[in-house]
Amino acid sequence: MLIRSFDDYTRAYEHSVNNPSDFWNTVASGFSWKKPWSQTLEWNFETPDVKWFIDGKLNITENCIDRHLPAKKNDIAFYFEPNDPKGQARSISYQQLHDDVCRLANTLKKLGVTKGDRVCIYMPMIPEAVFAMLACARIGAVHSVVFAGFSASSLAGRIQDCDCKVVLTTDGAFRGAKDISIKSVVDEALEVCSSVTNVLVYKHTGTAVNMSAGRDLWWQDEVPQAAASCPAETMDSEDLLFILYTSGSTGKPKGVVHTCGGYMVYTCYTFQNVFQYNAGDLFWCTADVGWITGHSYITYGPLLAGASTVLFEGVPTYPDAGRFWQVIDKYKVTHFYTAPTAIRALEAAGLDFVTPYKLDSLRVLGSVGEPINEEAWQWYHKNIGKEKCPIVDTWWQTETGGMLISPIAGITPLKPSYATLPLPGVQPILVDEKGNEIVGNNVEGNLCIKFPWPSIIRTTYGDHERCRQTYFATYKGLYFTGDGCKRDENGYYRITGRVDDVINVSGHRIGTAEVESAINMHADVVESAVVGYPHDIKGQGIYAYVIAPSTAKDHEALKKEIIAEVNKIIGPIAKPDKIQIVSGLPKTRSGKIMRRILRKVAEGDTSNLGDTSTLLDPSVVDEIVRGKQ
Ligand code: WT7
């Protein structure tokens, strides 16, 4: 079943399109099910309603762990590399993983967590974060991992949206030279979250914390006492596995829902095929489990495949810009998966940080999160892959659960900055603004998918209508990705970036509306408009136009306060790179901000601003051009 040649790929692809049920039945039969499914697929992209492996019963953790124990209980599931290279590295075997997950699962049960309850995980990149996800899945609780860089108010919003019962966290986190307080952020968030009954705190950095009596418990006091075996809850294929919040073009972040059966089948299938991982290899994905990449290709995909992976706590530039390469040599990593922003930052640091390392264990390189520019691709290929490692440029989204368009390592002929071809089961289609299909090659349009794959988003938590509106209403009968895309003369796909009001900063999705609403919280801000602009390292930077009253204080001080406000409301990842104070924004007579003009100015392309005659006050455009940051 695994793809081992381009012919295999072509055959698998055709099979998946001509007879999707038969194709996915075969893939799914490779897993351990408590009860087989009665029907493979039922779908409707209007409502939307998608179900895979209907009536099937399973527990994903039995497939991630128990299934592997007879043959590989002593194999290493995770090599943990701490932030500080001199810190305590750890190896966790599949048997230890089993025991640690079961102990934590039993602890959650003791705290009253039952099937269907939501549990928030707000933790740094330590093995316990993975145990936490799996412990929830073990007992049928739904995890909601929140990236530990988000602010208290973002965390609170996510806890409230899905009424989490328990929060799993740590005292603090190490990030590079910084020692960050984590528990105090949870404390602040919980001031407004009445659903939370307990907080389990893993002592990691040893920093002082406040423990609220009756609510907060130390992990190290509770978990080791619990039994090292825990029956795996029987889950329906369509029971919720997790919620992961992501930003869109409007409103608050939404809780993307993934379910047990389809997500399991698809993440494992794509992991094994795209990376061509074989027994004995060592995989390293540098993402954080707070994002979908960490969910699918640190926790679930690799464990489902029985793989060994590196789990890294730190950052690429600590203690210096050679850290990734040092870790690759230390563990003899064979498969390395990272983001273009990291590649560009390490390229900028210079080759002196690369040459001390051999990097000769590497066989496959991967890229994810944003378009990889050709320059960065070539640098990665030449200096890290030594021109012998294929680069898989994997395109996908939080909502897709797994990779959709990607080369298969060593099999699909590569083309720099192209995600190349759809994986089996994925049927992309390009459409114009009106939703008409753009056929043929050498074309460009909005990227949609016309047929469900097993790990497609099922709903947005608590608001199904929002899911319909966001993904299934723009173009009738299609899943709309929000991305623009080219198809070249050979049918290869190249993602050109978002076509909606979403900015991709260092591979992180930021909604412009969210940043604007944070900026507008500042008392001296009348109104704001946020757009993206090209940034050498981050891919895109955040450019904010802010209207302040003429009486406002010193503009430099105001800008600093605005940045602090965004930090506080969303987190440092959303802070504007540039702020321009303006007296007005270009608006149409109906009051709509003309973002096209703001984008052009931010990009530095003021030669042709297009038609400005429909503006209420065309003179603001001149002021904006003159004041460009
Ligand atoms: C958006 C999804 C997929 C996990 C990480 C991001 C952009 C992602 C690529 C790629 C070009 C890419 C898209 C997409 N994107 N991978 N290989 N080439 N663009 O997940 O936060 O849900 O963001 O990231 O614009 O829509 P996400």
Side-chain angles (χ1 to χ4, degrees), residues 246 291-293 367-372 393-399 419 481-483 495 497-498 504 507-509:
T246 190
W291 312 112
I292 191 70
T293 309
S367 171
V368 62
E370 50 176 314
I372 178 164
D393 177 359
T394 65
W395 172 81
W396 56 296
Q397 310 178 296
T398 306
E399 296 85 347
T481 64
D483 281 321
I495 313 302
R498 302 290 305 195
N504 191 325
H508 302 316
R509 235 158 103 171

Side-chain angles (χ1 to χ4, degrees), residues 25 92 213 220 267 319-320 334 344 352 368 450-451 501 542 621:
N25 281 346
I92 293 134
Q220 280 93 335
T267 52
D320 64 44
T334 56
R344 288 189 298 262
D352 287 352
V368 62
K450 64 178 176 193
F451 195 86
D501 289 324
I542 301 179
V621 175

Side-chain angles (χ1 to χ4, degrees), residues 163-174:
D163 291 316
C164 292
K165 192 166 188 173
V166 166
V167 178
L168 302 177
T169 191
T170 64
D171 49 356
F174 298 120

